[in-house]
Amino acid sequence: MTHKNIPRNSSIDRRTVLGLLSGGLAALAGCSGLFDDSGGDGGSAGPPEEQSDYIGETSIEIVENGRQLALEVAVTDEIEPSSVSIITESGREFVSDYFSPGETRTRLSLTEGEDSNEPLPPGQHTLYLRGDDVETKLPLELGTTFELEEVIPGAEHPDFVDGSLAMVVRNVGKRTDAASQTLLDGETRSERFVPVEPGESAAVKFDFLLKDGPGICARADEAGEIAEINHRLAVNFLWSDTVTVSQTIKYNNTDGCKKSLVGEPEEVTTTPRKTETET
């Protein structure tokens, strides 16, 4: 087994905690039902701690540099735990950790690669807990469904500055996920985690996309005429399909390179993300 060392006492900004489990993994695991060798009925959609005598608490947190995720698992005194693992849909052991004597809490990395920090791929995975002649298996399914609500100038959003653009997306599924990247015409615009809980909406920022100023109007012709360019804006999520829209931006180079939105965005059909067993 592999044992990835994630500092147990690392600094965590609780305001950016994804909460995919405490109200999120509740839904994450619940979609496919739960099986627990401890005698659970296996058909309920509650969180792991409600389905197993051995799981006391679960949560997903951002750790270290803000680009790594960890699944924190706390066990109850019903079990003397020995190890816990995440087994991917294809049967690959993504990560595992061993409990020291008396230890009841551990973290499992949900990202891999020292530089890329690639998250656990989408799919129906398994949380596998072992100890005192007990083996507990909990389905761990990641991903949800997002829909576009609107595209607005950053100046119209209370938390954004003028010059940015905001794509507002709504989580219409049953699990929490987080936006992780924005792209303009296929090129990365910004990378930050923006968690979105089921039934909630969130604005994802495209930095400086509508910023006015000289030297930024490459899209307008040298004669100083107004140019209207259709751009493809995309928001990537950790485990869900990308939301991509086509949006026209006006470049007015006659007065200091003014930029503005033209018309309504049109959502573009994208290829669904493949799970590990489909790639």
Side-chain angles (χ1 to χ4, degrees):
M1 294 184 182
T2 58
H3 181 176
K4 296 189 178 180
N5 294 318
I6 297 180
R8 301 185 192 283
N9 296 317
S10 59
S11 175
I12 298 173
D13 182 355
R14 292 288 174 176
R15 292 170 298 178
T16 59
V17 167
L18 292 182
L20 288 169
L21 262 4
S22 49
L25 212 233
L28 288 179
C31 187
S32 57
L34 296 175
F35 170 77
D36 184 349
D37 291 339
S38 66
D41 61 15
S44 216
E49 52 266 36
E50 292 182 3
Q51 298 301 319
S52 171
D53 292 336
Y54 310 129
I55 303 293
E57 181 185 6
T58 50
S59 64
I60 289 183
E61 299 175 340
I62 300 174
V63 298
E64 289 195 351
N65 59 6
R67 298 301 304 169
Q68 295 183 11
L69 300 173
L71 169 61
E72 184 163 299
V73 180
V75 299
T76 67
D77 57 10
E78 298 293 327
I79 185 176
E80 183 66 34
S82 59
S83 64
V84 62
S85 305
I86 293 176
I87 309 299
T88 68
E89 185 177 63
S90 67
R92 174 173 67 98
E93 183 179 81
F94 186 83
V95 64
S96 68
D97 199 5
Y98 293 92
F99 292 85
S100 299
E103 190 176 38
T104 60
R105 185 180 296 267
T106 190
R107 286 180 182 162
L108 297 174
S109 176
L110 290 177
T111 52
E112 62 181 351
E114 294 182 0
D115 298 320
S116 60
N117 294 322
E118 289 294 324
L120 180 70
Q124 297 183 6
H125 310 305
T126 300
L127 183 65
Y128 185 22
L129 176 66
R130 287 147 294 202
D132 320 55
D133 300 322
V134 170
E135 293 185 351
T136 297
K137 298 178 181 180
L138 305 173
L140 179 64
E141 185 176 358
L142 306 176
T144 185
T145 302
F146 286 93
E147 291 182 353
L148 172 73
E149 284 197 342
E150 59 181 345
V151 174
I152 59 175
E156 296 182 10
H157 191 279
D159 297 329
F160 293 172
V161 297
D162 193 10
S164 63
L165 177 147
M167 183 187 294
V168 182
V169 294
R170 184 171 182 81
N171 185 344
V172 297
K174 297 180 179 180
R175 295 180 289 275
T176 301
D177 202 344
S180 60
Q181 182 185 49
T182 60
L183 300 99
L184 172 67
D185 298 329
E187 296 186 1
T188 300
R189 194 74 190 186
S190 61
E191 294 182 293
R192 57 173 63 87
F193 286 139
V194 181
V196 194
E197 296 182 0
E200 299 295 326
S201 299
V204 185
K205 183 165 63 172
F206 288 72
D207 296 323
F208 311 119
L209 186 54
L210 298 180
K211 182 176 176 59
D212 298 330
I216 316 176
C217 257
R219 294 288 188 173
D221 66 19
E222 295 180 358
E225 296 180 356
I226 295 173
E228 293 186 359
I229 307 297
N230 191 264
H231 293 285
R232 182 165 290 203
L233 309 178
V235 176
N236 285 341
F237 299 89
L238 292 175
W239 297 293
S240 303
D241 293 344
T242 299
V243 172
T244 304
V245 303
S246 176
Q247 173 67 59
T248 299
I249 297 178
K250 178 188 290 186
Y251 296 81
N252 185 344
N253 205 24
T254 63
D255 186 21
C257 186
K258 298 291 185 181
K259 299 176 183 176
S260 58
L261 299 178
V262 178
E264 296 296 322
E266 180 180 346
E267 194 158 1
V268 177
T269 301
T270 58
T271 303
R273 293 185 62 174
K274 293 183 178 181
T275 67
E276 190 178 44
T277 55
E278 294 172 328
T279 54

